[in-house]
Amino acid sequence: MRDLAARAGFSTATTYNLIGSKSTVLYALLNQSLDRVGAARSNLPIGPDPIEHVFQAADAAVNYYTADANFYRPLQRFLLSMSDPIQRPRYMQRAFVYWYDALAGFENTATLKGKLVREDLANQLMLSYAGVITLWVHDELDSQQFRDQIRTNVAFTLLALSEPKHRERLLDLIGDARTTAPILIQGGDLDDFTVTE
């Protein structure tokens, strides 16, 4: 914040008064990064294969953050502990729209008729991504494991609605990713993790 104030020609106190807390500034940076990821994704053509388009969106997001992991890991690690009533909801809205747009190819397919709608899938993908990026931010997954786990989660989500012709492809992808996306809690008796009253 001191460096930001110095570059802007203000005192640190004035900077806080003008733009708010450090978390506000950092969320603004994160929102800006998500806009860039969205712009990269929007440049991808929507081909005849809607499943491939969702995986391209997943890869675009992972590629963007892992390309500058030394910046985005600490940034998101800090923000995970902060609440911002304006910037965080904006970030979550942008994340939802990112996945909603990635699912554009499903809008008019038979797979989204009935009770399951595009918004449901976008919400599921957004929440799944938020969980996996948390593991990456805390160094529990390396960049390749991060990518493979995101792709696995996308495949599981799409498996629930895919036409039979896509089922084997998605199952193969899950099997391939399993080699590098680890089961984080291994060994021991699962009863040890049971919550008792």
Side-chain angles (χ1 to χ4, degrees):
M1 291 297 279
R2 283 192 299 271
D3 290 345
L4 182 63
R7 287 185 185 200
F10 298 125
S11 70
T12 304
T14 301
T15 303
Y16 276 111
N17 288 335
L18 289 173
I19 61 176
S21 67
K22 181 163 103 174
S23 67
T24 299
V25 174
L26 294 178
Y27 264 118
L29 285 172
L30 194 58
N31 282 334
Q32 188 179 61
S33 75
L34 195 50
D35 288 342
R36 288 186 182 127
V37 175
R41 188 211 48 79
S42 66
N43 291 330
L44 300 171
I46 299 177
D49 183 357
I51 286 180
E52 186 58 32
H53 189 68
V54 180
F55 281 110
Q56 288 174 343
D59 289 342
V62 171
N63 291 343
Y64 187 86
Y65 291 117
T66 58
D68 197 0
N70 290 334
F71 177 75
Y72 284 108
R73 269 187 163 140
L75 172 67
Q76 294 204 23
R77 192 178 300 133
F78 174 82
L79 291 175
L80 284 170
S81 66
M82 303 302 294
S83 179
D84 186 291
I86 296 171
Q87 296 296 330
R88 180 165 172 80
R90 286 180 182 164
Y91 172 73
M92 296 309 291
Q93 181 65 29
R94 280 181 167 96
F96 174 82
V97 169
Y98 180 83
W99 291 109
Y100 184 83
D101 289 347
L103 291 159
F106 287 101
E107 187 61 31
N108 297 314
T109 65
T111 55
L112 283 185
K113 303 298 182 193
K115 295 182 180 179
L116 187 64
V117 295
R118 186 174 164 194
E119 288 86 348
D120 295 325
L121 295 176
N123 196 54
Q124 181 62 33
L125 289 171
M126 178 192 69
L127 294 173
S128 174
Y129 189 89
V132 177
I133 200 169
T134 300
L135 298 173
W136 175 73
V137 162
H138 288 290
D139 296 314
E140 294 168 315
L141 298 177
D142 63 28
S143 293
Q144 185 60 49
Q145 292 168 332
F146 176 30
R147 177 184 324 284
D148 287 339
Q149 190 60 59
I150 290 296
R151 290 179 66 84
T152 300
N153 289 12
V154 168
F156 271 117
T157 300
L158 297 180
L159 194 60
L161 61 84
S162 66
E163 298 170 13
K165 65 181 180 180
H166 298 302
R167 185 172 174 78
E168 283 306 313
R169 175 177 159 203
L170 292 169
L171 288 171
D172 286 345
L173 190 147
I174 291 167
D176 291 345
R178 198 178 285 137
T179 61
T180 60
I183 304 296
L184 291 177
I185 298 184
Q186 297 182 13
D189 186 350
L190 289 181
D191 290 338
D192 294 342
F193 299 102
T194 304
V195 177
T196 57
E197 295 184 19

